[in-house]
Amino acid sequence: MADKPSFEALSAETLPLRLGRTDALTARIGSDTASWKVREVGDGNLNLVFIVDGPDGSAIVKQALPYVRLVGDSWPLPLKRSFFEYHALTRQRARAGNIVPEIFHFDEGQALIIMEFLTPHIILRRALIEGRRPKNIGRDLGLFLATTLFRGSDLSMGARARKEDMALFADNAELCDITENLVFTDPYFDAAMNRHTSPQLDGIVATLRADRNLKVEAQRLKHIFASSAETLLHGDLHTGSIMVTDDETRVIDPEFAFYGPMAFDVGMLLANFWMAFFAQAGHEKAGDRSVLRDELLDTVTEIWAVFRTEFSRLWHSERTGMLYDRRLFEDQGDALGSAQALDCLLHQIYVDMLGFAGIEIHRRILGLAHNADFEDIADENLRARCEARALKFGRHLAVNRNRLVSLQEIHTLAVRLERDEIS
Ligand code: SR1
Ligand code: MG
């Protein structure tokens, strides 16, 4: 038997020759490779992404590289992350439906996934920077969180099936290691790859790095992240992993998938809306963004409300796993016991979600991987003011999360920080 070809990175020039006989692709876009148009459009930190236009349609080809694209080949990263992304995508699509794109083909050796081309979708982060908030994202993302987090857990899956799946994803250790270091540890000391965008932040950065309570909370959250294998997480659910039109939402890029705490995906996602809120002041050249600021806070509230409602519905209708066995509650006429257990679980997710959100905000301003919400603000003074407010907000969430009883209270604080009414 012929050896499988060894991994080789694609280029726009080589792609037609390399994939011209891949049926799953030619069936969708046409087989006349001479007429294919290929563009490399990857703007993330890790991978190659190509849009391939053919006579009959278009598709996305995503290929992992054996290193971190953002840094270069001095930071090797295993190609197998593509395997985890593929398996996460198929599970998420089964659990959450069309909000996850359709996968046409996976080639493990070449670490490539061929999938649905989303058009006219754009990255949600870009929409928010441009001043647009698609109207359905609160509902869609709340549903995505509830269905994927519930159905990937011991509340729903059979115990053996879940353990086997957990073992499969446990090998995604290098991607977890990135999060463990870049999110939970590096921002809180003078790590080599850290940067912040203005010397004007030096003071607050030093204060945060000397903040014992904050460092302890960051490590408590890291402990939960590393040891609470509750469900299959997306693992990198920020607004750059979401594509939107005015009324459609798609969630992509789950290469950081692993079994971890439910609150992590929720917290990372909400953090990105809060950062978008604090960044708006830097994008007001073409007009006031007060309405969008309100909408961003409303979106956070809606995501959480929809998540709670859908998670509760699944609790009552799909609780087929080993946890909170119905024989202990409903079957004994103890509906109250079931409701109490659900409330308790949702409360814990809420508290931990706030902590993860605070830490995510910090790492996007203090660490290696920043986000365009702030980076695209050209005026350094203004950008530093936006980032400083967000840093204070993140610290408040991480350290005081057990005492923050409502999102309304948190949003009052966000608005006051934004207006510099408190420092
Ligand atoms: C070295 S990778 C940096 C970041 O990019 C990914 O999107 C993840 O968020 C990761 O933390
Ligand atoms: Mg990504």
XYZ file of all heavy atoms in Angstrom, residues 72-130:
491
model
N 5.079 32.390 14.755
C 6.033 31.834 13.788
C 6.513 30.446 14.207
O 6.044 29.897 15.220
N 7.465 29.883 13.443
C 7.820 28.480 13.697
C 8.672 28.280 14.948
O 9.008 27.144 15.301
C 8.433 27.805 12.468
C 9.610 28.575 11.917
O 10.108 29.464 12.642
O 10.010 28.295 10.772
N 8.971 29.367 15.659
C 9.635 29.191 16.954
C 8.664 28.615 17.993
O 9.075 28.202 19.067
C 10.161 30.539 17.457
O 9.086 31.446 17.620
N 7.360 28.632 17.685
C 6.373 28.081 18.624
C 5.617 26.946 17.914
O 4.593 27.168 17.292
C 5.388 29.153 19.085
C 4.436 28.708 20.163
C 4.179 27.438 20.577
C 3.595 29.550 20.956
N 3.258 27.426 21.577
C 2.878 28.726 21.831
C 3.382 30.926 20.998
C 1.954 29.227 22.742
C 2.458 31.421 21.901
C 1.757 30.588 22.765
N 6.160 25.719 17.979
C 5.489 24.595 17.316
C 4.142 24.277 17.982
O 3.989 24.460 19.184
C 6.457 23.414 17.517
C 7.661 23.962 18.182
C 7.348 25.317 18.723
N 3.215 23.840 17.172
C 1.888 23.466 17.688
C 1.385 22.275 16.882
O 1.455 22.295 15.650
C 0.933 24.653 17.535
C -0.339 24.620 18.383
C -0.012 24.636 19.866
C -1.240 25.804 18.046
N 0.880 21.221 17.536
C 0.539 20.003 16.795
C -0.600 20.190 15.793
O -1.565 20.905 16.071
C 0.132 19.004 17.877
C 0.298 19.669 19.170
C 0.675 21.099 18.970
N -0.465 19.494 14.687
C -1.501 19.526 13.652
C -2.789 18.876 14.118
O -3.859 19.130 13.574
C -0.995 18.777 12.417
C 0.213 19.386 11.720
C 0.756 18.416 10.669
C -0.169 20.714 11.081
N -2.685 18.027 15.149
C -3.871 17.271 15.574
C -4.978 18.180 16.089
O -6.107 17.738 16.300
C -3.498 16.218 16.625
C -3.032 16.795 17.927
C -2.542 15.734 18.900
C -1.995 16.428 20.152
N -1.280 15.551 21.050
N -4.704 19.467 16.299
C -5.792 20.363 16.715
C -6.916 20.376 15.688
O -8.077 20.624 16.012
C -5.266 21.775 16.954
C -4.702 22.494 15.750
C -4.138 23.826 16.191
N -3.705 24.684 15.102
C -2.497 24.662 14.558
N -1.587 23.804 14.996
N -2.180 25.501 13.595
N -6.548 20.079 14.425
C -7.552 20.015 13.373
C -8.520 18.836 13.605
O -9.725 18.939 13.355
C -6.810 19.868 12.053
O -7.679 19.775 11.003
N -7.972 17.736 14.098
C -8.784 16.560 14.455
C -9.797 16.930 15.542
O -10.989 16.594 15.459
C -7.814 15.463 14.935
C -8.447 14.261 15.579
C -8.817 13.151 14.815
C -8.639 14.203 16.958
C -9.373 12.026 15.412
C -9.192 13.081 17.556
C -9.562 11.992 16.780
N -9.340 17.666 16.549
C -10.261 18.045 17.635
C -11.298 19.055 17.138
O -12.457 19.012 17.548
C -9.469 18.583 18.839
C -8.548 17.549 19.398
C -7.167 17.699 19.329
C -9.056 16.378 19.937
C -6.319 16.710 19.796
C -8.208 15.376 20.409
C -6.837 15.548 20.336
N -10.875 19.930 16.269
C -11.831 20.900 15.722
C -12.919 20.173 14.931
O -14.114 20.460 15.090
C -11.106 21.911 14.825
C -12.068 22.884 14.171
C -11.392 24.098 13.574
O -10.151 24.206 13.656
O -12.113 24.946 13.038
N -12.492 19.225 14.097
C -13.462 18.472 13.304
C -14.455 17.734 14.218
O -15.671 17.801 14.015
C -12.726 17.479 12.394
C -13.626 16.449 11.783
C -14.536 16.807 10.794
C -13.597 15.124 12.228
C -15.397 15.867 10.248
C -14.448 14.183 11.684
C -15.351 14.565 10.700
O -16.196 13.633 10.180
N -13.922 17.053 15.213
C -14.824 16.291 16.090
C -15.711 17.209 16.929
O -16.864 16.877 17.211
C -14.023 15.331 16.967
C -13.598 14.107 16.199
N -14.482 13.106 15.855
C -12.413 13.762 15.654
C -13.852 12.185 15.157
N -12.589 12.552 15.016
N -15.209 18.344 17.321
C -16.050 19.287 18.062
C -17.154 19.844 17.162
O -18.315 19.951 17.568
C -15.200 20.419 18.630
N -16.791 20.177 15.924
C -17.794 20.721 14.998
C -18.933 19.727 14.767
O -20.111 20.109 14.772
C -17.142 21.066 13.651
C -16.318 22.362 13.605
C -15.442 22.400 12.360
C -17.225 23.591 13.653
N -18.587 18.465 14.579
C -19.657 17.484 14.311
C -20.548 17.304 15.538
O -21.762 17.197 15.420
C -19.086 16.123 13.860
O -18.161 15.662 14.839
C -18.380 16.225 12.525
N -19.948 17.295 16.722
C -20.776 17.170 17.936
C -21.641 18.412 18.140
O -22.818 18.327 18.472
C -19.881 16.938 19.163
C -19.357 15.500 19.236
C -18.055 15.454 20.016
N -17.489 14.113 20.106
C -16.937 13.453 19.086
N -16.899 13.984 17.891
N -16.416 12.245 19.267
N -21.042 19.582 17.948
C -21.810 20.812 18.165
C -22.955 20.933 17.163
O -24.045 21.395 17.513
C -20.889 22.033 18.047
C -19.957 22.174 19.236
C -18.871 23.203 19.016
O -18.684 23.715 17.912
N -18.135 23.505 20.067
N -22.716 20.502 15.941
C -23.803 20.593 14.942
C -24.932 19.637 15.316
O -26.103 19.956 15.172
C -23.260 20.300 13.550
C -24.236 20.683 12.452
C -23.576 20.668 11.101
N -24.566 20.526 10.043
C -25.136 21.534 9.400
N -24.841 22.767 9.711
N -26.024 21.310 8.442
N -24.567 18.450 15.811
C -25.603 17.503 16.242
C -26.378 18.057 17.443
O -27.573 17.810 17.592
C -24.961 16.162 16.596
N -25.701 18.807 18.288
C -26.348 19.284 19.522
C -27.050 20.627 19.353
O -28.032 20.900 20.032
C -25.305 19.401 20.637
C -24.845 18.043 21.112
C -23.617 18.081 22.007
N -23.191 16.706 22.251
C -21.972 16.351 22.628
N -21.044 17.271 22.819
N -21.689 15.080 22.828
N -26.516 21.473 18.482
C -27.040 22.850 18.401
C -27.623 23.180 17.031
O -28.195 24.244 16.856
C -25.930 23.843 18.745
N -27.459 22.282 16.041
C -28.074 22.498 14.730
C -27.274 23.418 13.831
O -26.056 23.551 13.960
N -28.003 24.107 12.937
C -27.379 24.856 11.844
C -26.574 26.073 12.264
O -25.957 26.718 11.421
C -28.449 25.342 10.867
C -28.989 24.175 10.078
O -28.405 23.089 10.108
N -30.098 24.382 9.396
N -26.576 26.401 13.520
C -25.728 27.512 13.964
C -24.251 27.129 13.780
O -23.371 27.983 13.746
C -26.046 27.919 15.428
C -25.313 29.224 15.786
C -25.720 26.818 16.403
C -25.785 29.871 17.058
N -23.999 25.833 13.626
C -22.643 25.337 13.347
C -22.580 25.001 11.855
O -23.472 24.337 11.332
C -22.333 24.089 14.203
C -20.953 23.532 13.884
C -22.464 24.435 15.674
N -21.537 25.456 11.130
C -21.504 25.221 9.674
C -21.413 23.735 9.313
O -20.957 22.916 10.108
C -20.246 25.972 9.221
C -19.471 26.276 10.446
C -20.395 26.238 11.612
N -21.829 23.454 8.080
C -21.793 22.068 7.598
C -20.359 21.706 7.198
O -19.658 22.488 6.551
C -22.713 21.932 6.389
C -22.892 20.496 5.955
C -23.760 20.354 4.704
O -24.347 21.370 4.264
O -23.814 19.241 4.173
N -19.949 20.507 7.594
C -18.594 20.025 7.268
C -18.704 19.064 6.089
O -19.483 18.122 6.114
C -17.980 19.296 8.486
C -17.982 20.200 9.704
C -16.567 18.807 8.168
C -17.274 21.509 9.521
N -17.883 19.297 5.059
C -17.930 18.451 3.860
C -16.867 17.357 3.871
O -17.058 16.294 3.298
C -17.715 19.312 2.599
C -18.719 20.428 2.437
C -18.329 21.656 1.899
C -20.058 20.260 2.802
C -19.244 22.685 1.729
C -20.978 21.291 2.641
C -20.570 22.516 2.113
N -15.722 17.636 4.521
C -14.595 16.696 4.372
C -13.553 16.996 5.441
O -13.335 18.157 5.793
C -13.968 16.910 2.983
C -12.800 16.034 2.691
N -12.911 14.689 2.417
C -11.466 16.324 2.616
C -11.706 14.194 2.179
N -10.818 15.152 2.303
N -12.920 15.917 5.939
C -11.811 16.097 6.871
C -10.661 15.202 6.440
O -10.853 14.010 6.182
C -12.254 15.736 8.300
C -11.119 15.713 9.283
C -10.297 16.820 9.438
C -10.857 14.575 10.046
C -9.236 16.804 10.337
C -9.797 14.556 10.943
C -8.993 15.673 11.092
N -9.472 15.767 6.349
C -8.266 15.009 6.012
C -7.309 15.150 7.199
O -6.694 16.202 7.388
C -7.648 15.578 4.727
C -6.382 14.813 4.303
O -5.717 14.207 5.172
O -6.061 14.848 3.103
N -7.208 14.076 7.965
C -6.422 14.155 9.204
C -4.942 14.390 8.910
O -4.286 15.212 9.558
C -6.620 12.871 10.026
C -6.011 12.990 11.400
C -6.331 11.794 12.288
O -7.156 10.936 11.907
O -5.737 11.714 13.374
N -4.387 13.671 7.910
C -2.951 13.775 7.608
C -2.563 15.180 7.164
O -1.497 15.687 7.510
N -3.434 15.810 6.400
C -3.153 17.179 5.923
C -3.748 18.223 6.864
O -3.674 19.427 6.570
C -3.697 17.362 4.500
C -3.021 16.470 3.466
C -1.504 16.655 3.435
O -1.014 17.780 3.462
N -0.757 15.550 3.406
N -4.354 17.778 7.954
C -4.919 18.679 8.971
C -5.841 19.714 8.338
O -5.772 20.899 8.660
C -3.803 19.355 9.772
N -6.691 19.233 7.431
C -7.569 20.212 6.770
C -9.042 19.812 6.838
O -9.395 18.640 6.785
C -7.105 20.512 5.352
C -7.179 19.521 4.216
C -8.559 19.492 3.595
C -6.153 19.929 3.176
N -9.841 20.853 6.945
C -11.289 20.700 7.012
C -11.887 21.510 5.872
O -11.532 22.676 5.682
C -11.836 21.233 8.356
C -11.203 20.488 9.537
C -13.355 21.113 8.407
C -11.530 21.099 10.901
N -12.769 20.854 5.110
C -13.483 21.588 4.053
C -14.905 21.781 4.540
O -15.564 20.825 4.966
C -13.457 20.816 2.719
C -12.002 20.539 2.304
C -14.188 21.611 1.632
C -11.854 19.732 1.022
N -15.357 23.006 4.525
C -16.681 23.285 5.086
C -17.426 24.344 4.301
O -16.872 24.983 3.396
C -16.561 23.670 6.553
C -15.784 24.924 6.823
S -15.638 25.183 8.613
C -13.884 25.173 8.819
N -18.672 24.493 4.716
C -19.586 25.459 4.120
C -18.968 26.866 4.096
O -18.406 27.305 5.099
C -20.827 25.449 5.036
C -21.960 26.291 4.642
C -23.088 26.224 5.706
O -22.999 25.423 6.686
O -24.040 26.980 5.548
N -19.092 27.535 2.959
C -18.670 28.944 2.871
C -19.841 29.798 3.343
O -20.954 29.703 2.806
C -18.310 29.279 1.418
C -18.035 30.738 1.188
C -17.129 31.430 1.989
C -18.685 31.424 0.168
C -16.869 32.783 1.778
C -18.421 32.777 -0.047
C -17.521 33.454 0.760
N -19.602 30.600 4.336
C -20.675 31.412 4.904
C -20.681 32.768 4.216
O -19.716 33.525 4.317
C -20.462 31.568 6.410
C -20.445 30.250 7.192
C -20.021 30.483 8.636
C -21.814 29.566 7.136
N -21.728 33.065 3.534
C -21.836 34.359 2.852
C -23.288 34.824 2.877
O -24.195 33.991 2.726
C -21.327 34.267 1.400
O -21.398 35.561 0.809
C -22.113 33.285 0.549
N -23.533 36.068 3.172
C -22.612 37.207 3.299
C -22.169 37.466 4.745
O -22.000 38.614 5.148
C -23.468 38.367 2.794
C -24.851 38.021 3.270
C -24.944 36.514 3.245
N -21.955 36.404 5.493
C -21.604 36.564 6.908
C -20.261 37.287 7.081
O -19.364 37.128 6.267
C -21.505 35.195 7.579
C -22.763 34.381 7.469
N -23.214 33.893 6.273
C -23.650 33.996 8.403
C -24.340 33.232 6.475
N -24.628 33.280 7.760
N -20.169 38.025 8.173
C -18.879 38.617 8.559
C -18.616 38.256 10.022
O -19.516 37.801 10.738
C -18.840 40.152 8.371
C -19.883 40.841 9.267
C -19.038 40.531 6.921
C -19.673 42.339 9.403
N -17.379 38.450 10.442
C -17.020 38.163 11.832
C -17.780 39.119 12.765
O -17.810 40.334 12.532
C -15.495 38.328 12.014
C -14.738 37.261 11.212
C -15.089 38.299 13.467
C -14.802 35.863 11.783
N -18.396 38.578 13.797
C -19.188 39.402 14.716
C -18.360 40.545 15.307
O -18.848 41.674 15.439
C -19.763 38.513 15.839
C -20.472 39.237 16.976
C -21.642 40.106 16.479
C -20.976 38.224 18.018
N -17.104 40.263 15.655
C -16.279 41.329 16.242
C -16.214 42.534 15.288
O -16.283 43.683 15.704
C -14.866 40.794 16.523
C -14.047 41.731 17.422
C -12.608 41.307 17.560
N -12.357 40.010 18.136
C -12.568 39.660 19.405
N -13.082 40.520 20.241
N -12.275 38.445 19.829
N -16.064 42.234 13.992
C -15.982 43.304 12.995
C -17.304 44.088 12.943
O -17.309 45.324 12.891
C -15.650 42.663 11.647
C -15.282 43.532 10.497
C -14.283 44.642 10.727
N -13.015 44.257 11.326
C -12.179 45.115 11.942
N -12.478 46.389 12.031
N -11.053 44.694 12.481
N -18.424 43.374 12.983
C -19.731 44.054 12.958
C -19.854 45.006 14.149
O -20.295 46.155 14.002
C -20.856 43.019 12.977
N -19.435 44.555 15.315
C -19.567 45.388 16.518
C -18.639 46.601 16.442
O -19.000 47.700 16.874
C -19.278 44.563 17.779
C -20.200 43.353 18.002
C -19.794 42.594 19.265
C -21.669 43.768 18.097
N -17.447 46.412 15.872
C -16.526 47.549 15.709
C -17.124 48.566 14.728
O -17.018 49.779 14.915
C -15.139 47.050 15.229
C -14.449 46.260 16.336
C -14.260 48.219 14.765
C -13.204 45.505 15.904
N -17.785 48.037 13.705
C -18.382 48.940 12.704
C -19.674 49.579 13.193
O -20.262 50.416 12.508
C -18.633 48.164 11.402
C -17.338 47.858 10.665
C -17.530 46.891 9.504
O -18.699 46.506 9.219
O -16.520 46.504 8.893
